[in-house]
Amino acid sequence: KRPFFLENANFFETPNDLLFTRRIADPQFGVRLTGKLGPYALGAFLIDDESPGKRVLPDDPLHNKRALFGIVRVSRDLFRQSSLGFIYTDREFESSYNRVGGVDGRLKLSQNWVAEFQGVTSATRFLDGTRLAGPAYDVELNRSGRQFNYELEYNDRSPGFRTQPGFLERADIRHLRQYVTYEFRPEGRYLISWGPAFYLDGVWDHRGTRLDWTSDNAIYWHLTGQTYLGVGYNNHRERLRPQDFPVLAENRDFNRKHFGFLFGTSYLRQVSFGARYLFGQRVNFLPPVGQEPVLADWGQGDFSLTLRPITPLRIDNTYLLMRVSCLLYTSPSPRDRTR
């Protein structure tokens, strides 16, 4: 059934991920229309989903009931590789619904600069009669070039925004992200280019509480023979709240750091090697029941080796590693407490 969703899937793409077709788990009937007419592109489908009615017991009133999804997406090409679009999604299940609608666009500002934006709003009614509503916004500015590259993105998800046909990582956030790279290009005998990369990422809720703050700094070298080398340092502050983890009595801030390196080469035609390893600290989000999350020593790596002994034969080898280790508090037994 996947080809029904995968063919011409780009007709439904927007800055917000408002259509994640894995949400439609058990369809039986559906109809779809996609195509282009001059500067206009149209994508639409109507499909059912039997899975909600199969997840309840036979004596439940919702047994054998099905949800209905309706998606409409229209966009128009404009001057200079730009476009303007509209999207509407609707999921209906008995007395509940989730409806999302909005506009989006892409503006080619110059040869190197591109801006994208989207504004949507949702209205949701749950089976128990409660309602949620709210907007969501996205703005992106990108520059691509031979030496200087830049990305700036701002996301705003109100507390009441929901998208049931789509994929929403987190509501009630304001998210600002910035990524900058610059490459010096000596184009020498061995060194082709090198340069720094800077990444900043901050997340706040709508009450102004800082939830996440990430600073990532790295430097990369590109050599002949498809050889590259990079080293970096990351500092991440993450605030967990009682609403995230009920075992917390108050907000708790975690400050973790990690270092990393990467290396790869295809200098020899018959052998390609790549390695990446990061180490430092991460938050253990799965402590024993009743205990709070704690900082843990963490390491993650992946290593690859490709051999081509003869032209028709290729052998790929990959090794993946992840480890998390930490000291956990355990309550002493009554006997120990009397000593």
Side-chain angles (χ1 to χ4, degrees):
K1 298 176 182 179
R2 296 306 301 163
F4 179 91
F5 301 108
L6 296 179
E7 185 179 357
N8 290 337
N10 60 301
F11 279 68
F12 301 94
E13 292 178 354
T14 65
N16 273 295
D17 197 356
L18 299 179
L19 178 60
F20 181 61
T21 56
R22 293 288 183 182
R23 302 288 190 206
I24 308 170
D26 192 5
Q28 187 176 21
F29 301 105
V31 59
R32 188 195 62 179
L33 172 66
T34 55
K36 291 203 67 172
L37 182 60
Y40 291 93
L42 171 65
F45 69 76
L46 184 68
I47 195 167
D48 70 340
D49 184 7
E50 295 185 295
S51 63
K54 292 181 176 180
R55 290 199 295 261
V56 297
L57 297 174
D59 57 349
D60 193 298
L62 299 178
H63 183 63
N64 283 337
K65 302 295 183 179
R66 64 185 66 194
L68 187 66
F69 288 81
I71 314 292
V72 177
R73 164 79 170 150
V74 180
S75 64
R76 189 188 192 281
D77 295 334
L78 302 176
F79 51 89
R80 295 174 60 90
Q81 302 177 38
S82 301
S83 62
L84 184 66
F86 163 83
I87 189 169
Y88 177 77
T89 71
D90 185 15
R91 179 189 184 272
E92 306 275 343
F93 181 58
E94 292 301 290
S95 61
S96 69
Y97 60 78
N98 172 250
R99 298 162 185 165
V100 181
V103 297
D104 60 272
R106 180 182 189 274
L107 301 176
K108 181 78 170 179
L109 303 177
S110 68
Q111 181 178 355
N112 302 101
W113 291 91
V114 176
E116 296 186 13
F117 67 90
Q118 183 169 30
V120 296
T121 187
S122 72
T124 306
R125 174 189 167 97
F126 299 97
L127 290 170
D128 61 5
T130 58
R131 299 173 184 265
L132 285 176
Y137 307 100
D138 284 83
V139 180
E140 296 182 38
L141 180 64
N142 297 280
R143 187 194 190 279
S144 58
R146 181 173 171 80
Q147 291 183 287
F148 176 54
N149 293 272
Y150 180 75
E151 298 177 14
L152 177 66
E153 182 178 2
Y154 175 73
N155 314 119
D156 192 313
R157 309 281 185 271
S158 66
F161 179 77
R162 297 292 186 275
T163 169
Q164 293 177 354
F167 185 81
L168 178 66
E169 292 184 353
R170 206 171 184 181
D172 188 18
I173 63 166
R174 290 188 171 103
H175 179 198
L176 182 65
R177 181 182 67 87
Q178 184 175 240
Y179 183 59
V180 184
T181 65
Y182 190 88
E183 284 193 75
F184 299 93
R185 308 189 68 89
E187 305 287 354
R189 182 177 180 182
Y190 301 106
L191 178 62
I192 298 175
S193 66
W194 70 276
F198 306 100
Y199 178 79
L200 290 174
D201 191 305
V203 181
W204 299 263
D205 65 18
H206 281 74
R207 291 171 295 279
T209 303
R210 191 265 303 154
L211 304 178
D212 294 281
W213 178 260
T214 301
S215 172
D216 202 335
N217 307 286
I219 186 168
Y220 301 94
W221 293 267
H222 295 273
L223 310 173
T224 55
Q226 300 181 44
T227 301
Y228 58 87
L229 173 67
V231 294
Y233 166 75
N234 176 283
N235 184 23
H236 185 191
R237 297 184 63 185
E238 184 168 7
R239 177 171 286 121
L240 302 182
R241 304 164 294 177
Q243 65 196 71
D244 305 314
F245 289 88
V247 297
L248 295 174
E250 58 185 3
N251 290 351
R252 184 174 175 188
D253 197 45
F254 293 88
N255 188 4
R256 60 177 178 81
K257 304 174 177 64
H258 68 248
F259 304 85
F261 72 88
L262 58 87
F263 172 77
T265 183
S266 298
Y267 190 81
L268 301 177
R269 291 184 56 187
Q270 293 81 13
V271 180
S272 296
F273 173 76
R276 182 185 64 160
Y277 188 72
L278 307 172
F279 63 95
Q281 295 176 313
R282 282 288 176 93
V283 180
N284 178 15
F285 293 107
L286 297 173
V289 176
Q291 295 192 22
E292 298 182 0
V294 295
L295 278 179
D297 292 330
W298 166 84
Q300 177 178 328
D302 53 81
F303 309 89
S304 63
L305 177 65
T306 299
L307 304 176
R308 305 179 188 87
I310 56 176
T311 302
L313 178 62
R314 174 187 174 118
I315 305 172
D316 290 321
N317 306 272
T318 303
Y319 178 75
L320 305 176
L321 168 68
M322 176 178 281
R323 64 176 185 85
V324 177
S325 59
C326 59
L327 294 176
L328 298 176
Y329 171 78
T330 56
S331 299
S333 65
R335 181 181 178 182
D336 292 332
R337 288 197 294 264
T338 59
R339 292 181 179 179

